[in-house]
Amino acid sequence: MITASPVTRLSSPSTDWRELWRHAITDATELLEMLGLGGLADRLPPADAGFALRVPRGFVARMRHGDPRDPLLLQVLPQLAELDEVPGFVADAVGDMASREARGVLHKYQGRALLIASGSCAINCRYCFRRHFPYGDEMAAAGQWRQALAHVRQDPSINELILSGGDPLALSTGKLEELGRGLADIPHVTRLRIHSRLPVVLPERIDAAFTDWLAAQPLQKVVVLHANHANEFDASVDAACARLREAGATLLNQSVLLRGVNDEAGALAALSERMFAAGVLPYYLHQLDRVQGAAHYEVDDASALALMEQLRGRLPGYLVPKLVREVGGDPSKRPL
């Protein structure tokens, strides 16, 4: 199993997720100094390449001290390569705005509507396909979710509601309770799916108030985590996953194939094994969404397919994620 050497003196003694959120690292130079990598500060892009750094201290504590190639660090550290203009890499990589149906509502696929619940994340992943998204104009939670829920209410074909963002668990539990009350009179919605990185990067968010709310929801509940490397899991993440399962949620994980982070069969196999130990099943392995600023993470399709062939030879089928690409306008994710 791949393990990380802990970084000392990074975690606050507080267990309140809001307090931990406020004390996240937001300065790239500070992050490098904490990891004994202060000498790399002159390689940072100006103004974080236009995309702010944010990473919880507990996640930093899982990074390997003194290792500039640490797979967790490479997901969050601003790079000069983000400033390169690469043909084919655009602001709206997956056609989000073309699928907008109401404020904060994206309706791409049959039977499912996605709500942009929040524009905030506890961690800013450099490859994020929504790093240029106009969150200020597209917040489904605004106005007690009224406009978003009105769209869902009038379309009986929608049976699954997907909460995304940003990160929907950046919202207070009180705000999620508003959503639950709004769903009570929409009988055709039978399943609630929450896509969140917080159980992995800020597991303290999965507190008693949240799990009580989740357990009380009469819908089928799916929580899709986002972890890309086995080192992202530790005992605190395991405990958060256990609390989610106890609240009645099915746990899946989706990853992004990232050059230098997890583009090796051993790393992907270790991730599947480690997440399954935490009660999580692999769902998707995404080919990189070609968002402006993320070209340096791309793995070509031939290499991706070769990795999948190796994974099928190493893992039982239920631990092999589906390799997919999202293409704007397609009726589903495109399998590779």
Side-chain angles (χ1 to χ4, degrees):
M1 182 179 296
I2 300 173
T3 58
S5 300
V7 178
T8 59
R9 298 187 299 278
L10 291 181
S11 298
S12 163
S14 173
T15 58
D16 186 293
W17 71 274
R18 291 156 293 197
E19 182 79 5
L20 295 170
W21 182 296
R22 285 192 291 270
H23 287 90
I25 304 300
T26 57
D27 181 84
T29 300
E30 180 185 5
L31 173 61
L32 288 174
E33 289 175 350
M34 287 179 168
L35 294 168
L37 297 168
L40 301 180
D42 60 352
R43 304 184 193 179
L44 296 170
D48 287 348
F51 184 47
L53 178 138
R54 170 174 284 275
V55 55
R57 292 171 185 266
F59 192 77
V60 177
R62 301 172 216 163
M63 297 177 185
R64 293 191 290 255
H65 192 271
D67 183 359
R69 306 305 301 169
D70 176 78
L72 278 57
L73 174 64
L74 291 179
Q75 296 181 54
V76 301
L77 185 68
Q79 303 283 338
L80 286 168
E82 294 175 48
L83 301 176
D84 296 341
E85 293 189 11
V86 180
F89 284 77
V90 297
D92 185 1
V94 295
D96 275 344
M97 298 312 295
S99 67
R100 181 188 184 278
E101 294 290 344
R103 181 173 182 176
V105 180
L106 308 182
H107 199 166
K108 296 184 179 183
Y109 305 135
Q110 175 66 32
R112 289 151 283 172
L114 183 148
L115 303 190
I116 301 292
S118 165
S120 299
C121 288
I123 190 168
N124 285 347
C125 302
R126 309 308 299 179
Y127 52 86
C128 178
F129 69 99
R130 291 199 178 116
R131 60 183 286 172
H132 306 291
F133 190 82
Y135 288 110
D137 301 324
E138 298 294 334
M139 296 285 285
Q144 297 182 314
W145 308 86
R146 278 190 289 268
Q147 186 176 353
L149 289 177
H151 172 76
V152 175
R153 190 175 289 110
Q154 70 185 8
D155 187 344
S157 73
I158 298 172
N159 59 31
E160 179 174 70
L161 196 64
I162 303 168
L163 300 188
S164 185
D167 197 303
L169 298 191
L171 298 175
S172 69
T173 300
K175 200 66 178 175
L176 294 170
E177 288 169 348
E178 288 180 0
L179 174 65
R181 290 191 292 270
L183 288 172
D185 67 344
I186 309 180
H188 54 267
V189 174
T190 59
R191 188 163 55 244
L192 179 67
R193 191 193 329 166
I194 301 173
H195 283 240
S196 180
R197 191 113 159 88
L198 264 70
V200 174
V201 305
L202 192 66
E204 294 82 0
R205 175 63 184 97
I206 312 304
D207 57 13
F210 172 72
T211 54
D212 287 349
W213 171 79
L214 187 64
Q217 298 311 300
L219 309 175
Q220 289 184 306
K221 298 171 282 279
V222 180
V223 176
V224 181
L225 309 180
H226 177 184
N228 297 311
H229 197 276
N231 289 0
E232 296 180 43
F233 285 81
D234 66 3
S236 67
V237 178
D238 293 343
C241 291
R243 293 192 291 271
L244 289 168
R245 294 198 312 275
E246 289 167 4
T250 297
L251 301 187
L252 306 175
N253 182 74
Q254 60 180 10
S255 306
V256 180
L257 185 59
L258 301 167
R259 182 155 48 119
V261 173
N262 59 8
D263 58 333
E264 190 270 327
L268 291 171
L271 172 60
S272 283
E273 294 282 9
R274 184 61 184 86
M275 75 173 76
F276 189 62
V280 183
L281 277 170
Y283 176 33
Y284 282 147
L285 176 62
H286 284 267
Q287 268 292 51
L288 182 76
D289 295 317
R290 305 189 92 204
V291 65
Q292 183 180 338
H296 55 292
Y297 287 112
E298 189 170 45
V299 177
D300 65 84
D301 284 356
S303 297
L305 289 167
L307 284 171
M308 293 303 297
E309 187 65 25
Q310 293 177 61
L311 278 186
R312 283 189 285 269
R314 300 175 68 144
L315 294 172
Y318 58 86
L319 291 185
V320 179
K322 299 174 185 176
L323 180 67
V324 297
R325 171 179 284 113
E326 182 168 357
V327 178
D330 275 15
S332 66
K333 301 291 190 297
R334 185 177 295 184
L336 297 180

PDB file of all heavy atoms in Angstrom, residues 98-116:
ATOM      1  N   ALA A  98     -24.241  25.344 -22.552  1.00  0.00           N
ATOM      2  CA  ALA A  98     -25.221  24.962 -23.573  1.00  0.00           C
ATOM      3  C   ALA A  98     -26.330  24.094 -22.996  1.00  0.00           C
ATOM      4  O   ALA A  98     -27.403  23.966 -23.602  1.00  0.00           O
ATOM      5  CB  ALA A  98     -24.524  24.224 -24.712  1.00  0.00           C
ATOM      6  N   SER A  99     -26.104  23.491 -21.827  1.00  0.00           N
ATOM      7  CA  SER A  99     -27.104  22.613 -21.219  1.00  0.00           C
ATOM      8  C   SER A  99     -27.873  23.303 -20.102  1.00  0.00           C
ATOM      9  O   SER A  99     -28.676  22.668 -19.412  1.00  0.00           O
ATOM     10  CB  SER A  99     -26.427  21.356 -20.656  1.00  0.00           C
ATOM     11  OG  SER A  99     -25.582  21.684 -19.568  1.00  0.00           O
ATOM     12  N   ARG A 100     -27.668  24.602 -19.940  1.00  0.00           N
ATOM     13  CA  ARG A 100     -28.342  25.333 -18.868  1.00  0.00           C
ATOM     14  C   ARG A 100     -29.833  25.433 -19.167  1.00  0.00           C
ATOM     15  O   ARG A 100     -30.243  25.829 -20.249  1.00  0.00           O
ATOM     16  CB  ARG A 100     -27.748  26.743 -18.746  1.00  0.00           C
ATOM     17  CG  ARG A 100     -28.352  27.596 -17.650  1.00  0.00           C
ATOM     18  CD  ARG A 100     -27.834  29.018 -17.754  1.00  0.00           C
ATOM     19  NE  ARG A 100     -28.298  29.867 -16.673  1.00  0.00           N
ATOM     20  CZ  ARG A 100     -29.487  30.461 -16.657  1.00  0.00           C
ATOM     21  NH1 ARG A 100     -30.333  30.284 -17.672  1.00  0.00           N
ATOM     22  NH2 ARG A 100     -29.841  31.232 -15.645  1.00  0.00           N
ATOM     23  N   GLU A 101     -30.666  25.085 -18.162  1.00  0.00           N
ATOM     24  CA  GLU A 101     -32.117  25.131 -18.314  1.00  0.00           C
ATOM     25  C   GLU A 101     -32.770  26.185 -17.417  1.00  0.00           C
ATOM     26  O   GLU A 101     -33.852  26.676 -17.714  1.00  0.00           O
ATOM     27  CB  GLU A 101     -32.720  23.758 -18.002  1.00  0.00           C
ATOM     28  CG  GLU A 101     -32.326  22.667 -18.984  1.00  0.00           C
ATOM     29  CD  GLU A 101     -32.963  22.854 -20.356  1.00  0.00           C
ATOM     30  OE1 GLU A 101     -33.920  23.635 -20.464  1.00  0.00           O
ATOM     31  OE2 GLU A 101     -32.482  22.216 -21.318  1.00  0.00           O
ATOM     32  N   ALA A 102     -32.150  26.488 -16.295  1.00  0.00           N
ATOM     33  CA  ALA A 102     -32.629  27.501 -15.364  1.00  0.00           C
ATOM     34  C   ALA A 102     -31.421  27.905 -14.531  1.00  0.00           C
ATOM     35  O   ALA A 102     -30.336  27.342 -14.686  1.00  0.00           O
ATOM     36  CB  ALA A 102     -33.747  26.944 -14.476  1.00  0.00           C
ATOM     37  N   ARG A 103     -31.604  28.880 -13.646  1.00  0.00           N
ATOM     38  CA  ARG A 103     -30.466  29.330 -12.868  1.00  0.00           C
ATOM     39  C   ARG A 103     -29.878  28.178 -12.052  1.00  0.00           C
ATOM     40  O   ARG A 103     -30.543  27.591 -11.200  1.00  0.00           O
ATOM     41  CB  ARG A 103     -30.880  30.450 -11.916  1.00  0.00           C
ATOM     42  CG  ARG A 103     -29.708  30.975 -11.107  1.00  0.00           C
ATOM     43  CD  ARG A 103     -30.058  32.184 -10.290  1.00  0.00           C
ATOM     44  NE  ARG A 103     -28.872  32.669  -9.586  1.00  0.00           N
ATOM     45  CZ  ARG A 103     -28.844  33.771  -8.847  1.00  0.00           C
ATOM     46  NH1 ARG A 103     -29.932  34.510  -8.722  1.00  0.00           N
ATOM     47  NH2 ARG A 103     -27.738  34.125  -8.246  1.00  0.00           N
ATOM     48  N   GLY A 104     -28.624  27.845 -12.353  1.00  0.00           N
ATOM     49  CA  GLY A 104     -27.941  26.784 -11.630  1.00  0.00           C
ATOM     50  C   GLY A 104     -28.377  25.387 -11.991  1.00  0.00           C
ATOM     51  O   GLY A 104     -28.017  24.439 -11.289  1.00  0.00           O
ATOM     52  N   VAL A 105     -29.125  25.208 -13.068  1.00  0.00           N
ATOM     53  CA  VAL A 105     -29.611  23.886 -13.461  1.00  0.00           C
ATOM     54  C   VAL A 105     -29.010  23.506 -14.813  1.00  0.00           C
ATOM     55  O   VAL A 105     -29.212  24.209 -15.805  1.00  0.00           O
ATOM     56  CB  VAL A 105     -31.150  23.840 -13.559  1.00  0.00           C
ATOM     57  CG1 VAL A 105     -31.616  22.439 -13.960  1.00  0.00           C
ATOM     58  CG2 VAL A 105     -31.786  24.256 -12.242  1.00  0.00           C
ATOM     59  N   LEU A 106     -28.301  22.389 -14.855  1.00  0.00           N
ATOM     60  CA  LEU A 106     -27.783  21.830 -16.095  1.00  0.00           C
ATOM     61  C   LEU A 106     -28.532  20.529 -16.362  1.00  0.00           C
ATOM     62  O   LEU A 106     -28.648  19.675 -15.478  1.00  0.00           O
ATOM     63  CB  LEU A 106     -26.282  21.561 -15.999  1.00  0.00           C
ATOM     64  CG  LEU A 106     -25.392  22.719 -15.531  1.00  0.00           C
ATOM     65  CD1 LEU A 106     -23.929  22.301 -15.546  1.00  0.00           C
ATOM     66  CD2 LEU A 106     -25.606  23.960 -16.384  1.00  0.00           C
ATOM     67  N   HIS A 107     -29.049  20.390 -17.575  1.00  0.00           N
ATOM     68  CA  HIS A 107     -29.843  19.208 -17.910  1.00  0.00           C
ATOM     69  C   HIS A 107     -29.260  18.599 -19.180  1.00  0.00           C
ATOM     70  O   HIS A 107     -29.669  18.917 -20.291  1.00  0.00           O
ATOM     71  CB  HIS A 107     -31.301  19.605 -18.110  1.00  0.00           C
ATOM     72  CG  HIS A 107     -32.253  18.459 -18.019  1.00  0.00           C
ATOM     73  ND1 HIS A 107     -33.606  18.619 -17.882  1.00  0.00           N
ATOM     74  CD2 HIS A 107     -32.050  17.116 -18.047  1.00  0.00           C
ATOM     75  CE1 HIS A 107     -34.198  17.443 -17.835  1.00  0.00           C
ATOM     76  NE2 HIS A 107     -33.263  16.515 -17.939  1.00  0.00           N
ATOM     77  N   LYS A 108     -28.285  17.689 -18.983  1.00  0.00           N
ATOM     78  CA  LYS A 108     -27.583  17.089 -20.109  1.00  0.00           C
ATOM     79  C   LYS A 108     -28.135  15.724 -20.490  1.00  0.00           C
ATOM     80  O   LYS A 108     -28.127  15.350 -21.669  1.00  0.00           O
ATOM     81  CB  LYS A 108     -26.090  16.930 -19.776  1.00  0.00           C
ATOM     82  CG  LYS A 108     -25.343  18.228 -19.553  1.00  0.00           C
ATOM     83  CD  LYS A 108     -23.857  17.960 -19.323  1.00  0.00           C
ATOM     84  CE  LYS A 108     -23.090  19.259 -19.122  1.00  0.00           C
ATOM     85  NZ  LYS A 108     -21.644  19.043 -18.965  1.00  0.00           N
ATOM     86  N   TYR A 109     -28.555  14.955 -19.487  1.00  0.00           N
ATOM     87  CA  TYR A 109     -28.838  13.543 -19.717  1.00  0.00           C
ATOM     88  C   TYR A 109     -30.268  13.205 -19.329  1.00  0.00           C
ATOM     89  O   TYR A 109     -30.845  13.789 -18.397  1.00  0.00           O
ATOM     90  CB  TYR A 109     -27.864  12.674 -18.913  1.00  0.00           C
ATOM     91  CG  TYR A 109     -26.409  12.979 -19.167  1.00  0.00           C
ATOM     92  CD1 TYR A 109     -25.512  13.083 -18.115  1.00  0.00           C
ATOM     93  CD2 TYR A 109     -25.932  13.162 -20.461  1.00  0.00           C
ATOM     94  CE1 TYR A 109     -24.167  13.364 -18.342  1.00  0.00           C
ATOM     95  CE2 TYR A 109     -24.602  13.441 -20.700  1.00  0.00           C
ATOM     96  CZ  TYR A 109     -23.717  13.544 -19.637  1.00  0.00           C
ATOM     97  OH  TYR A 109     -22.397  13.819 -19.872  1.00  0.00           O
ATOM     98  N   GLN A 110     -30.839  12.224 -20.011  1.00  0.00           N
ATOM     99  CA  GLN A 110     -32.205  11.788 -19.770  1.00  0.00           C
ATOM    100  C   GLN A 110     -32.381  11.346 -18.319  1.00  0.00           C
ATOM    101  O   GLN A 110     -31.598  10.549 -17.785  1.00  0.00           O
ATOM    102  CB  GLN A 110     -32.551  10.622 -20.704  1.00  0.00           C
ATOM    103  CG  GLN A 110     -33.911  10.006 -20.476  1.00  0.00           C
ATOM    104  CD  GLN A 110     -35.044  10.970 -20.803  1.00  0.00           C
ATOM    105  OE1 GLN A 110     -34.905  11.814 -21.694  1.00  0.00           O
ATOM    106  NE2 GLN A 110     -36.152  10.853 -20.095  1.00  0.00           N
ATOM    107  N   GLY A 111     -33.413  11.881 -17.673  1.00  0.00           N
ATOM    108  CA  GLY A 111     -33.777  11.439 -16.331  1.00  0.00           C
ATOM    109  C   GLY A 111     -33.006  12.082 -15.207  1.00  0.00           C
ATOM    110  O   GLY A 111     -33.314  11.841 -14.036  1.00  0.00           O
ATOM    111  N   ARG A 112     -32.015  12.907 -15.524  1.00  0.00           N
ATOM    112  CA  ARG A 112     -31.157  13.491 -14.486  1.00  0.00           C
ATOM    113  C   ARG A 112     -31.019  14.989 -14.706  1.00  0.00           C
ATOM    114  O   ARG A 112     -30.818  15.439 -15.833  1.00  0.00           O
ATOM    115  CB  ARG A 112     -29.758  12.866 -14.529  1.00  0.00           C
ATOM    116  CG  ARG A 112     -29.696  11.433 -14.060  1.00  0.00           C
ATOM    117  CD  ARG A 112     -28.567  10.674 -14.749  1.00  0.00           C
ATOM    118  NE  ARG A 112     -28.923  10.302 -16.121  1.00  0.00           N
ATOM    119  CZ  ARG A 112     -28.087   9.773 -16.993  1.00  0.00           C
ATOM    120  NH1 ARG A 112     -26.823   9.576 -16.663  1.00  0.00           N
ATOM    121  NH2 ARG A 112     -28.494   9.461 -18.198  1.00  0.00           N
ATOM    122  N   ALA A 113     -31.099  15.734 -13.619  1.00  0.00           N
ATOM    123  CA  ALA A 113     -30.806  17.160 -13.658  1.00  0.00           C
ATOM    124  C   ALA A 113     -29.729  17.447 -12.632  1.00  0.00           C
ATOM    125  O   ALA A 113     -29.730  16.875 -11.527  1.00  0.00           O
ATOM    126  CB  ALA A 113     -32.052  17.983 -13.352  1.00  0.00           C
ATOM    127  N   LEU A 114     -28.805  18.319 -13.004  1.00  0.00           N
ATOM    128  CA  LEU A 114     -27.680  18.660 -12.128  1.00  0.00           C
ATOM    129  C   LEU A 114     -27.856  20.084 -11.626  1.00  0.00           C
ATOM    130  O   LEU A 114     -28.109  21.011 -12.407  1.00  0.00           O
ATOM    131  CB  LEU A 114     -26.366  18.505 -12.884  1.00  0.00           C
ATOM    132  CG  LEU A 114     -25.069  18.748 -12.101  1.00  0.00           C
ATOM    133  CD1 LEU A 114     -23.953  17.846 -12.637  1.00  0.00           C
ATOM    134  CD2 LEU A 114     -24.621  20.216 -12.178  1.00  0.00           C
ATOM    135  N   LEU A 115     -27.728  20.256 -10.326  1.00  0.00           N
ATOM    136  CA  LEU A 115     -27.809  21.573  -9.728  1.00  0.00           C
ATOM    137  C   LEU A 115     -26.411  22.048  -9.343  1.00  0.00           C
ATOM    138  O   LEU A 115     -25.664  21.327  -8.666  1.00  0.00           O
ATOM    139  CB  LEU A 115     -28.679  21.559  -8.468  1.00  0.00           C
ATOM    140  CG  LEU A 115     -30.117  21.066  -8.601  1.00  0.00           C
ATOM    141  CD1 LEU A 115     -30.883  21.358  -7.311  1.00  0.00           C
ATOM    142  CD2 LEU A 115     -30.816  21.670  -9.798  1.00  0.00           C
ATOM    143  N   ILE A 116     -26.043  23.236  -9.802  1.00  0.00           N
ATOM    144  CA  ILE A 116     -24.814  23.879  -9.333  1.00  0.00           C
ATOM    145  C   ILE A 116     -25.152  24.457  -7.961  1.00  0.00           C
ATOM    146  O   ILE A 116     -25.652  25.573  -7.830  1.00  0.00           O
ATOM    147  CB  ILE A 116     -24.346  24.968 -10.312  1.00  0.00           C
ATOM    148  CG1 ILE A 116     -24.085  24.367 -11.693  1.00  0.00           C
ATOM    149  CG2 ILE A 116     -23.103  25.665  -9.774  1.00  0.00           C
ATOM    150  CD1 ILE A 116     -22.912  23.421 -11.763  1.00  0.00           C
TER     151      ILE A 116
END
